[in-house]
Amino acid sequence: MSTTIHKETPHIKPKGVEIAETILLPGDPLRAKFIAETYLENAVQFNSVRNMFGYTGTYKGKKISVMGTGMGMPSMSLYSWELIHVFGVKNLIRIGTCGAMQEHMNLYDIVFAMGASTDSRYVHQFNLPGEFSNIASFALLEKAKKTADQKCLPVHVGNVLTSDIFYNADETALEKWRKMGILCAEMETAGLYMNASYAGVNALTILTVSDHIIRNEQTTPEERQVAFTNMVEIALELA
């Protein structure tokens, strides 16, 4: 059990509310609010600093937290570092959307990020004598895949791209990544996986395909809600 009483950082101020050892991390803080209100029993808000809402409650009798992380690796890396090192979180599950990069993928499909390639230089701080592979916790990945199979949901397991760049001046960049078998593009996972690996804790990213980059297909916010619900329900089972 995490001991968060009286602990705080400049970005997370729980005011005595416990943060659970397992936390769901959507990028959008309003999604964190939606999850808490929809799925958690006895949810209590533990953070509102910068409107990055965080809540702790129970799901099927197990304590679980949910908190927004913002967009991009710097934001994800900051919040995940504090959750791990200050508040004792052991299982961090990112839930978000992504742009598919392979023809066999479709809108609303679910992606489990087994690995996360990146164009970021975040790893350089660790002064490693070589290249580091950003990979998920197998224990979380295995359980998530079994849960998805039980629900008969279409899923893809593989390598994703965590990019620092949303509007890329190099229009050939994504095609180069696609040829390497990258499933989709997003902006947070590699930072989460690095922080988790360095601290010896568990991390997994679960994504929903919200648009298809190759086929130029997009979903509406209303259409995304059902697919988002499927992803959340898989993540909640990992508590």
Side-chain angles (χ1 to χ4, degrees):
M1 179 178 293
S2 301
T3 54
T4 64
I5 305 301
H6 306 308
K7 293 183 179 181
E8 65 176 38
T9 72
H11 316 100
I12 305 174
K13 299 184 183 298
K15 297 180 180 178
V17 178
E18 181 182 5
I19 301 177
E21 286 192 348
T22 297
I23 191 166
L24 273 56
L25 300 171
D28 186 347
L30 291 180
R31 284 185 177 171
K33 183 174 186 289
F34 169 80
I35 293 168
E37 293 176 346
T38 305
Y39 292 99
L40 302 187
E41 295 182 358
N42 303 313
V44 179
Q45 187 169 356
F46 69 76
N47 193 60
S48 60
V49 178
R50 294 175 177 260
N51 286 330
M52 198 60 73
F53 305 133
Y55 305 84
T56 297
T58 59
Y59 180 75
K60 294 184 178 180
K62 296 181 179 180
K63 186 162 290 186
I64 191 168
S65 295
V66 56
M67 179 181 170
T69 63
M71 292 185 288
M73 276 183 55
S75 188
M76 164 61 84
S77 300
L78 183 155
Y79 285 112
S80 61
W81 193 98
E82 293 183 349
L83 289 167
I84 293 166
H85 293 281
V86 179
F87 301 103
V89 176
K90 302 298 183 186
N91 304 295
L92 300 94
I93 305 156
R94 162 163 156 69
I95 46 176
T97 55
C98 64
M101 295 168 61
Q102 300 296 333
E103 286 291 351
H104 68 276
M105 301 175 68
N106 297 298
L107 297 180
Y108 316 117
D109 284 359
I110 293 173
V111 177
F112 296 145
M114 181 169 62
S117 298
T118 185
D119 54 24
S120 169
R121 296 174 60 84
Y122 185 79
V123 74
H124 285 212
Q125 67 178 301
F126 301 109
N127 294 312
L128 298 170
E131 300 296 326
F132 179 74
S133 296
N134 305 298
I135 59 174
S137 161
F138 181 74
L140 292 179
L141 177 59
E142 181 182 36
K143 188 173 182 180
K145 181 61 167 61
K146 288 181 178 178
T147 300
D149 288 346
Q150 291 169 357
K151 294 177 176 290
C152 298
L153 296 172
V155 299
H156 306 275
V157 182
N159 206 352
V160 307
L161 170 64
T162 300
S163 180
D164 280 345
I165 307 168
F166 191 85
Y167 301 105
N168 201 326
D170 179 2
E171 296 181 355
T172 69
L174 287 182
E175 176 61 18
K176 294 173 183 176
W177 287 112
R178 188 189 70 80
K179 287 183 177 179
M180 293 300 293
I182 296 295
L183 294 175
C184 61
E186 55 90 67
M187 302 187 73
E188 289 82 28
T189 298
L192 172 63
Y193 284 8
M194 286 183 220
N195 280 355
S197 295
Y198 189 70
V201 299
N202 300 311
L204 174 66
T205 285
I206 305 175
L207 302 166
T208 297
V209 175
S210 60
D211 57 281
H212 202 295
I213 298 171
I214 306 303
R215 298 201 295 259
N216 195 30
E217 298 173 350
Q218 296 180 336
T219 60
T220 67
E222 292 77 17
E223 290 171 336
R224 294 177 192 180
Q225 192 60 56
V226 173
F228 177 71
T229 297
N230 289 333
M231 174 176 60
V232 171
E233 290 177 355
I234 294 173
L236 287 168
E237 292 296 332
L238 303 182

